Amino acid sequence: MTGPRRSRRDEYAEQTRRDVVDAARTLFAQRGYFATTVSDIAAAARVSAGTVYQQCGGKQGLLRTLMDLWTTAPLVQQTLDAVHAADSLDEALRVLADSYLEFWRQFDDIVQLVAATAAHDAEATQSLTQAVIRHRTALHEIAQRIRELGAFAGSFSDEDFADITLYHYGPQNGYHFTVSLLGWTEERAREFLSAQFA
């Protein structure tokens, strides 16, 4: 059973919104959040500045949209599902290593943008705080499955697991540090990080 057919106007509006978000993501990565203007984004998306505000809420709305792309991506649920389906600790740890690598590939530019902007902008700080809460909530769920696989000592809490995971794979560590900053190959980084984490 299919839903109601979308009108051409709705399709155009959604395409326009995607174009604006894509333009903002590219420009923020190239120039930074503060050096990019709404007019720059509008020009890159070939729309008016008014459309950027109307469709996406200006720069702050775009930053929230990009943060949501990162923290609510289908990859989050796919990772949770794969961890729950894992039959062994080794398999669950492989899932985590592979998932964090894919998150880095897809969203490192957004993660770094939000982190850099948060240091100077209260709204970005709120967005980053929300992202961290979402991240840790998912890690707590993963910790419960890891515990079921018999991997934790009794004193090792879900918070401990989240802390250790973020230490190894977090936004400023993990693949960002080893691949983006040190220039390691993805395979070398994956092998090193997964071994240290295990």
Side-chain angles (χ1 to χ4, degrees):
M1 183 173 174
T2 59
R5 187 173 177 183
R6 298 178 66 197
S7 70
R8 187 170 297 223
R9 178 182 297 227
D10 289 342
E11 290 175 356
Y12 176 76
E14 181 56 33
Q15 183 60 53
T16 299
R17 187 174 188 282
R18 280 198 300 268
D19 291 344
V20 171
V21 170
D22 290 346
R25 183 174 182 173
T26 299
L27 290 173
F28 288 160
Q30 291 173 349
R31 304 178 185 179
Y33 178 81
F34 297 106
T36 302
T37 67
V38 168
S39 294
D40 295 333
I41 296 166
R46 296 170 42 198
V47 299
S48 69
T51 298
V52 175
Y53 285 105
Q54 181 182 20
Q55 292 281 340
C56 302
K59 282 172 57 175
Q60 290 185 334
L62 284 162
L63 190 66
R64 283 192 302 274
T65 297
L66 290 172
M67 194 270 293
D68 286 342
L69 283 177
W70 155 37
T71 60
T72 64
L75 185 55
V76 176
Q77 190 59 52
Q78 291 165 7
T79 301
L80 293 173
D81 292 344
V83 168
H84 281 293
D87 293 325
S88 68
L89 175 62
D90 286 345
E91 184 181 351
L93 295 183
R94 273 196 305 274
V95 167
L96 275 183
D98 291 343
S99 293
Y100 273 107
L101 177 58
E102 190 57 32
F103 270 108
W104 170 80
R105 289 173 178 154
Q106 292 185 30
F107 302 112
D108 188 58
D109 61 323
I110 296 174
V111 174
Q112 301 312 317
L113 166 70
V114 174
T117 306
H120 309 284
D121 182 87
E123 183 134 353
T125 300
Q126 290 177 350
S127 292
L128 183 58
T129 298
Q130 184 62 41
V132 170
I133 290 170
R134 290 175 181 174
H135 194 165
R136 293 186 76 90
T137 298
L139 288 174
H140 291 163
E141 183 175 338
I142 291 169
Q144 292 169 23
R145 177 58 183 151
I146 298 293
R147 183 171 282 105
E148 290 170 2
L149 294 170
F152 290 168
S155 61
F156 196 77
S157 69
D158 293 352
E159 283 295 316
D160 293 331
F161 177 78
D163 290 343
I164 294 297
T165 305
L166 290 172
Y167 176 80
H168 287 87
Y169 292 118
Q172 301 302 317
N173 307 319
Y175 295 104
H176 175 75
F177 183 73
T178 54
V179 181
S180 300
L181 299 182
L182 296 182
W184 289 13
T185 65
E186 291 181 11
E187 186 55 35
R188 179 186 180 194
R190 190 197 172 288
E191 288 180 5
F192 173 80
L193 292 168
S194 60
Q196 295 300 311
F197 183 64

